[in-house]
Amino acid sequence: MPLMLPLTVSCGLFGLGLYAVLARRHAVMVLLGVELMLNAVNLNLVAFDTWWADTLHTGQSLTLFVIALAAAEIGLGLAIVLVMFRTVGSADVDGQARLPDVLPDGGDEL
Amino acid sequence: MRRRESAPAVAITALLALCAAVVAFPRLGERTGPYGEPAGIRTTLVDGGDLLGVSVTFFVDHLSAVMLLLAAGVGLLVQIYSVAYLAGDARYRAYTTIIQLFLVAMATVVVADNLWMLLVGWEVMGLCSYLLISHHWELGPARAGAVKAFLLTRIGDLGLLVAIFAIGQTFGTYEISEVLSAMASPDAPDGLTWIGLLLVLAVVGKSAQFPLHTWLADAMPGPTPISALIHAATMVAAGVFLVARLYPVLAASAVTMTVLAVIACVTMLLAAMFALTSHDLKRVLAWSTVSQLAYMFAALSVGGYDAGIDHLLSHGAFKALLFLAAGSVAHAVGSTALAELGGLRAVMPWTFATATIGFAALAGVVPTVGFFSKDAVIEAAWHGIGHDAPVAPVVAALVLVVGLVTAVVTVAYAFRTWWKVFFAADPAAAARLAEARSATGRSYEAPPLMVGPLVVLAAASILLSLAMPLHPLTGLVTTVLVAAAGWFTWQTMAAGRDPADLLGPARRAFDRELAMDVAYDRAGTAARGAGDVVVATDRDILGFYPRATAWVAVTLSKGFTKAQSGNAQTYVTVLAVGALLLAGLVVVR
Amino acid sequence: MTAVTVVFAALGLVTLVSAFLVVTSDQIVHAALWLVVTLGALAALYVLLAAELVAWVQVLIYVGSVVVLLLFALMLTRAPTGSGSATATANQPLAGVVAAAVTVALGAVMWAGFGGEVIDEDAIRIGTAERLGDAVFRTWVLPFEVLSVVLLAALVGAIVLTRRGDR
């Protein structure tokens, strides 16, 4: 099996995840994008581990750690979304109040 | 009450005078002339070093000693005189304090070695004269006169300030003694014309020379003892002193000395004419001061250094005497308008006697000090024609001629004023006087505290002659001239005519004192126009750059504001693009 | 081309398509369900890569708990979950370009580094629970313990964040 096969899938997953992070309005969707990116990384780790036939199984161990971290991240992320929804009334990442214009027109007072 | 308040003031002034005398007496009589290595005691109190150039250093020589004694003596007499003159005045305490400050400032000017110190004293004097002229600030003319004095002298002060900068730039020092040493050395710097002209501007403002001459006459609403102080010993004398102090610097340039001579000639004659046509006793005296100051400048400009200083000293004595006498008259009559005076000879014998000596000195009558010092000035001009004077012979001849003519006019106005004040030409006025005298029963003569200074100054006006040089030939010429002018004026007065009427149609113009104030107003308007141009330049041309800078900064900031949108997605996008670019860079390299 | 390669390619295609549906779905619940498919397919890919334990963990943790947690959160927020509840922002075109560029760049890097490499199916070591346990609890025991602390901190943090009441 060519190594490029899992690597290609991984790249596609990462790009899709990044798109979700950058383009989706709902905060939960952003979190989903982050999960996709983490899974792309995991796939890479496992593929390299297998390709290298690592006796220590470094890649797979790290994958387990990443999965655990991802679980922690999604737990915290969802908690934040919850609080945000309670406080702001929506879970839109671009729905924040715009920063006020602090600068005057300028130059005329001189 | 009054005595308790005035005693400390007089005591402090006496102490100041004593200090001045202690400093001055040892240096007196060491006449070395203006040139050569400066001969005087130099004392350093605080050395400012090269960094600041401002040191507290003193330089006392014969010139300083003369000026110190004159200022301290007149100041003390004025202070004593004021005890009686300003009895009952609400602001007596402030008045005496300012006089003391005035004297200290004058002392600072005359003993300062550092030019910045001199400038400080010079400016404080300007302030004090402003405060004292406006002593009766409830009177409009007093306020206006004070403001005018302050503003016109300020023009000259500006000249002095720039001149000090220029001196520091040229000589590398602000110490007068070092400047004089540099001038005495063979490698004296040249190109001193501009410094000289700036100094001339300074003294023209301070000593009320043409064209800034009007402030001295308009300062007359101030208390009369103050006029004596300003005119005789301090304020205006500082201008003459400055020229004498930095004489080598000024004399190095013929242009400067010519300008000074021409200004002196114009002022001398013009002020004498104003004095001749004036209707007020104090105004006559004020214009005579301007005229006599011009004599001093004329003497200095033709190389008569000692003549100038001698005339300063003698003028200080007799002008203080005349002003204090005028104060006595004002004190008794309540007015100084010539039309309301007359016949005071009988009722004020002491004042009459002393004022007669004063007027004689002003006119240059033989045994008085004015005769000798004025002769010295004339002699200096005569000497300057043929010999090595700082100015061309033509200019010296002009000084000589104008000096003689002015001497004649001086006799005329001195006699006219003296006659109008002390001899009643008008029977009605005499009757009014006698009536007032019998009605109130009080004496017209001034109290002893006022007569005392008068007598002292009268004695000085005669005794100082002993210290003056005698020039027999010019003395003879001027005596003849004085006698002729005096006889002619007496004839005119006896015929019931005012000598001023001899000017004919020009009299009217002189009554308005040639409308110099209108010229000042025009100059002010022109200056304001120039100021508008400067403001417009500042606003529209120079101001463009800061405004444009601010505009660019604000516009850029607005662009950056868009980046700070608060939208996390935008941030992450930029982050991703940045990472991509970095990766691309790595690949390309 | 072995059968494993063919199956891997097919499952990889399933993963990518379902992931595409996740990120483009305009209903948030649909996206979550498509995510289940993606993660499941990924678990299958792990199996094909002989990572047995990782595949089970993937199913247990991701499919079993993360997605459930996600759906839970959606319910808790009572946010609208119907059609149009998960639209894209105005950043979408730029995001598409950037994501495509990143994908291409990553692919190029991978191709440049490992273009011709082949996984030798005969030399494969199967990632059994025994071997991974051995590795984790011998070699990687310290990171494992640190990770447990991180998990505890995340747990406490989530509780503190969502706690109601006077703060």
Side-chain angles (χ1 to χ4, degrees), chain A residues 1-20 22-26 28-29 32-33 35-36 38-40 42-44 46-51 53-58 60-61 63-76 78-83 85-86 91-94, chain C residues 5 8-9 12 15-16 19-20 22-25 28 31 35 39 42 46 49 51 53-54 57-58 61-62 69-70 73-74 76-77 79 85-89 91-92 95-96 98-99 102-103 106-107 110-111 114-115 117-119 121 123-125 127 131-132 135-136 139-140 143-144 147 150-151 154 157-158 161-162 164:
Chain A
M1 183 167 65
L3 180 58
M4 273 313 286
L5 199 54
L7 294 190
T8 311
V9 174
S10 159
C11 289
L13 270 182
F14 190 87
L16 287 166
L18 183 62
Y19 170 78
L22 296 187
R24 299 309 294 260
R25 172 165 288 150
H26 204 283
V28 170
M29 290 303 292
L32 284 188
E35 292 305 316
L36 283 180
L38 282 169
N39 272 291
N42 282 349
L43 185 54
N44 253 8
V46 170
F48 280 115
D49 186 297
T50 308
W51 170 62
D54 190 3
T55 50
L56 280 177
H57 286 296
T58 316
Q60 294 188 19
S61 303
T63 306
L64 291 179
F65 291 160
V66 171
I67 289 174
L69 274 177
E73 173 252 320
I74 197 106
L76 269 182
L78 286 174
I80 291 173
V81 170
L82 212 61
V83 174
F85 184 81
R86 260 193 230 147
D92 295 347
V93 287
D94 68 341
Chain C
T5 312
F8 194 100
T15 310
L16 287 178
F20 181 78
V22 168
V23 300
T24 52
S25 161
I28 204 155
L35 186 67
L39 297 176
L42 263 171
Y46 291 154
L49 285 169
L53 182 69
V54 175
V57 170
Q58 171 87 358
I61 306 257
Y62 262 118
L69 189 63
L70 233 154
L74 285 177
L76 275 176
T77 56
S85 62
T87 52
T89 59
N91 202 27
Q92 190 187 20
V98 170
V102 166
T103 309
L106 279 176
M110 292 302 176
W111 179 257
F114 310 97
E117 303 291 343
V118 173
I119 297 174
E121 288 162 20
I124 275 181
R125 288 168 54 87
R131 283 180 178 156
L132 274 179
V136 166
T139 314
W140 309 107
F144 177 81
L147 189 67
V150 172
L151 277 175
L161 271 177
T162 50
R164 285 174 192 274

Side-chain angles (χ1 to χ4, degrees), chain B residues 574-588:
Chain B
V574 173
L575 197 66
V577 171
L580 263 178
L581 286 178
L582 278 180
L585 268 180
V586 171
V587 170
V588 167

Side-chain angles (χ1 to χ4, degrees), chain B residues 68-329:
Chain B
L68 261 183
L69 287 176
L70 179 62
V74 173
L76 180 58
L77 291 175
V78 163
Q79 194 74 287
I80 295 170
Y81 183 92
S82 301
V83 172
Y85 185 81
L86 280 181
D89 190 277
R91 291 188 290 277
Y92 176 77
R93 193 186 292 260
Y95 169 86
T96 55
T97 313
I98 296 171
I99 287 184
Q100 284 151 12
L101 181 61
F102 210 147
L103 287 177
V104 170
M106 183 66 186
T108 308
V109 167
V110 298
V111 301
D113 192 24
N114 191 283
L115 282 165
W116 293 114
M117 228 178 105
L118 186 146
L119 181 70
V120 168
W122 185 277
E123 299 286 358
V124 171
M125 267 203 290
L127 170 69
C128 288
S129 68
Y130 168 80
L131 293 174
L132 288 173
I133 292 168
S134 63
H135 178 73
H136 298 301
W137 45 251
E138 52 286 309
L139 303 175
R143 291 197 300 270
V147 168
K148 191 172 185 182
F150 196 71
L151 289 180
L152 285 183
T153 52
R154 198 112 283 276
I155 296 174
D157 295 350
L158 199 61
L160 180 61
L161 181 67
V162 181
I164 290 177
F165 279 126
I167 286 175
Q169 196 67 31
T170 310
F171 291 91
T173 176
Y174 291 112
E175 306 295 317
I176 291 171
S177 54
E178 287 172 19
V179 169
L180 296 182
S181 299
M183 289 307 296
S185 66
D187 51 346
D190 46 1
L192 298 173
T193 305
W194 281 108
I195 296 179
L197 288 177
L198 285 168
L199 288 172
V200 167
L201 174 62
V203 302
V204 160
K206 204 69 164 178
S207 294
Q209 299 296 292
F210 183 83
L212 301 178
H213 55 274
T214 62
W215 71 263
L216 200 58
D218 283 355
M220 284 304 108
T224 310
I226 289 315
S227 302
L229 191 64
I230 290 178
H231 289 237
T234 52
M235 181 86 174
V236 295
V240 183
F241 167 80
L242 186 69
V243 172
R245 184 65 122 180
L246 293 171
Y247 193 72
V249 178
L250 285 129
S253 161
V255 176
T256 307
M257 291 314 248
T258 308
V259 168
L260 186 62
V262 170
I263 287 175
C265 288
V266 171
T267 314
M268 199 189 292
L269 194 54
L270 202 61
M273 295 307 242
F274 290 154
L276 183 62
T277 55
S278 183
H279 299 289
D280 187 282
L281 172 58
K282 284 187 73 179
R283 232 178 152 77
V284 170
L285 296 178
W287 286 123
S288 79
T289 303
V290 175
S291 179
Q292 298 301 311
L293 286 168
Y295 263 110
M296 301 168 207
F297 286 121
L300 289 167
S301 69
V302 295
Y305 178 77
D306 288 332
I309 298 175
D310 285 346
H311 197 54
L312 175 62
L313 182 61
S314 85
H315 171 256
F318 70 71
K319 189 49 62 67
L321 168 60
L322 281 174
F323 265 113
L324 292 187
S328 294
V329 169

Side-chain angles (χ1 to χ4, degrees), chain B residues 439-454:
Chain B
T440 58
R442 72 183 173 94
S443 167
Y444 259 79
E445 185 55 276
L449 272 177
M450 286 163 70
V451 172
L454 285 178

